[in-house]
Amino acid sequence: MDNDSTFNGNFSSNEQNFEETRQFIASLEKYAVPIICSFGLIANTLSFTVFAQKFLRRKSCSIFLAARSLSDNGFLITLLIMWTSSVFDLNLSRIAGICQVIVFLTYVFGCLSVWLVVFVTIENYIRICKPFMVNSLCQTTKAKYAVITLVVCTLCCYNFPLWTMTGECTPKVEHYKFLRIMVYVDSVITLIAPIIIMAFLLSRIALSSLSSCERRRRFSSTSAQRISDLKTKVTTMLLAVTLIFITLNLPLHVVKLRLLVISFIKDQINVSTPVDLTVQSISQLIYYLSLAINFVVYYIFGMSYRRTFIGLFSGRKKNVYSQTDYSTLATSRTRKIGQSVQPASENGQSNYSVVNVQVKEAETRIE
């Protein structure tokens, strides 16, 4: 009898702790979500404005990052609508059509944001590992086509909430199995495939960077070092975008993947425990934060972005060369150096002076 009383007491205590935790998370979301959304909407709008400037929009990576700013804003707007409906008891989910559209847009914007970061990682891989292919692959026209193709494919893949859900925002019985399949498909599209691609590309980037460092040690020269610095200016920001995105998205993906595996093993949809719900809520807030702080990442790690932002909002126009595509410039300089570094010419003078002139010219353009 005493054992039963002790067990019941411990159970009641655990339930109370879980309830207090849920209330804390609910209160945290009540105040954190509007702050994150407000900051993110302003910051992403500023980022889009900067990337749309004349000099930055000549870079293909600026097309991807500008599109990501719009996509992140779209997700934050839908999140703010859901928060407003919940806090002020508007019950928007009970209005036919609105809930389906919100779910549809959440899927679309979430997928777009993930794959735009994948595109940025691919471009960074090309700039670091395949520098002589930059001029042919990293073009703004191709970047625009890639974004348009991504949008069309995403709309085609995620239109199912519009016709598989009832007016009360519940799954239609006849589409229950299809929706369950789409849960796994969405996990592959927005979680498994992007993580595998970015992990592979980042490993290749790391190996290429190490190899490049070894070459610089063996053939160290002021000219080669300066050219390497030119290439680093643009790739640093792209690498920071990828790494920070993965860091802030990984907790939520780990929680979702765990629940997905348990759901598959137990053949049940709802397998969440109070602890799972708490961890998922915290991870969700971190994910929302990843959609709002891109401006900070761009400003800290992107020299071109920072100069354009300051010039735009201070009323001062920067020199066109301060916005030059550094990796393209470095690639062309590297190619010229490969042609210039030859044995001494007929008059007995070395051609290294040509290299130094070219590098100094590039540095002047950056300044």
Side-chain angles (χ1 to χ4, degrees):
M1 190 71 171
D2 292 338
N3 292 335
D4 291 341
S5 299
T6 302
F7 175 80
N8 291 332
N10 292 335
F11 181 79
S12 299
S13 177
N14 290 336
E15 284 294 314
Q16 183 178 359
N17 291 335
F18 288 146
E19 182 61 30
E20 290 176 355
T21 303
R22 281 196 293 266
Q23 291 178 358
F24 170 75
I25 294 298
S27 300
L28 182 63
E29 290 180 341
K30 181 178 180 180
Y31 297 103
V33 168
I35 294 175
I36 292 174
C37 289
S38 300
F39 176 79
L41 289 172
I42 296 173
N44 289 330
T45 302
L46 290 175
S47 294
F48 176 80
T49 303
V50 172
F51 286 123
Q53 295 306 299
K54 181 178 180 181
F55 303 124
L56 277 185
R57 67 170 178 257
R58 293 175 179 175
K59 300 180 181 181
S60 55
C61 60
S62 295
I63 303 297
F64 296 137
L65 295 175
R68 187 192 176 197
S69 298
L70 294 179
S71 176
D72 289 349
N73 265 359
F75 189 97
L76 292 175
I77 289 173
T78 59
L79 176 63
L80 196 58
I81 291 174
M82 291 186 290
W83 176 87
T84 303
S85 176
S86 174
V87 171
F88 297 100
D89 295 324
L90 300 181
N91 297 320
L92 295 178
S93 61
R94 296 182 181 179
I95 301 177
I98 291 184
C99 180
Q100 291 91 326
V101 171
I102 290 178
V103 174
F104 165 70
L105 293 177
T106 301
Y107 272 118
V108 169
F109 291 131
C111 181
L112 289 177
S113 294
V114 171
W115 280 96
L116 286 169
V117 175
V118 174
F119 286 174
V120 168
T121 309
I122 293 173
E123 173 151 337
N124 203 26
Y125 166 78
I126 295 172
R127 291 180 181 277
I128 294 178
C129 302
K130 308 290 183 182
F132 295 107
M133 299 177 66
V134 170
N135 290 336
S136 59
L137 295 180
C138 300
Q139 300 177 0
T140 56
T141 302
K142 292 183 178 180
K144 291 176 182 178
Y145 284 140
V147 172
I148 293 173
T149 302
L150 175 64
V151 171
V152 172
C153 292
T154 304
L155 293 175
C156 293
C157 290
Y158 287 106
N159 61 49
F160 63 89
L162 301 177
W163 49 273
T164 60
M165 303 180 72
T166 64
E168 290 76 26
C169 214
T170 57
K172 294 180 180 179
V173 177
E174 61 270 27
H175 297 306
Y176 178 79
K177 291 183 177 180
F178 173 78
L179 287 174
R180 189 167 185 178
I181 293 173
M182 288 305 300
V183 170
Y184 297 106
V185 171
D186 174 63
S187 298
V188 173
I189 294 176
T190 61
L191 170 59
I192 298 175
I195 290 296
I196 291 175
I197 293 173
M198 285 190 286
F200 171 75
L201 294 178
L202 287 176
S203 65
R204 297 293 298 173
I205 290 172
L207 291 174
S208 179
S209 298
L210 290 175
S211 176
S212 178
C213 289
E214 287 294 327
R215 286 196 301 269
R216 284 202 298 270
R217 283 198 209 98
R218 291 198 303 267
F219 307 103
S220 60
S221 69
T222 305
S223 302
Q225 184 62 44
R226 290 174 180 174
I227 291 173
S228 177
D229 292 341
L230 296 181
K231 293 173 64 177
T232 301
K233 293 179 185 299
V234 67
T235 57
T236 298
M237 187 186 78
L238 300 183
L239 185 61
V241 169
T242 302
L243 291 178
I244 292 175
F245 174 84
I246 292 176
T247 301
L248 296 180
N249 280 259
L250 194 59
L252 181 61
H253 287 329
V254 170
V255 173
K256 284 186 175 181
L257 186 59
R258 175 181 176 276
L259 295 178
L260 191 66
V261 172
I262 295 176
S263 175
F264 179 78
I265 294 174
K266 293 185 176 182
D267 196 27
Q268 297 176 2
I269 292 295
N270 188 7
V271 294
S272 300
T273 64
V275 175
D276 291 328
L277 293 176
T278 301
V279 174
Q280 186 173 5
S281 297
I282 296 175
S283 302
Q284 198 84 43
L285 288 175
I286 296 175
Y287 169 73
Y288 297 154
L289 188 64
S290 72
L291 303 173
I293 66 168
N294 297 318
F295 169 82
V296 179
V297 177
Y298 303 151
Y299 191 87
I300 293 175
F301 294 99
M303 189 181 74
S304 294
Y305 180 92
R306 186 166 57 250
R307 286 184 172 183
T308 304
F309 176 82
I310 294 174
L312 179 64
F313 293 99
S314 67
R316 292 181 288 108
K317 296 296 182 180
K318 290 291 180 180
N319 187 289
V320 62
Y321 293 117
S322 67
Q323 311 301 334
T324 303
D325 189 332
Y326 300 114
S327 63
T328 302
L329 179 61
T331 299
S332 63
R333 297 304 179 206
T334 304
R335 188 178 295 114
K336 289 183 179 180
I337 287 173
Q339 297 169 353
S340 300
V341 180
Q342 302 291 341
S345 58
E346 294 180 358
N347 57 12
Q349 295 179 349
S350 172
N351 286 325
Y352 281 105
S353 59
V354 178
V355 177
N356 290 328
V357 170
Q358 290 172 344
V359 174
K360 287 180 180 179
E361 179 187 349
E363 288 180 330
T364 301
R365 292 187 173 191
I366 293 176
E367 296 301 326

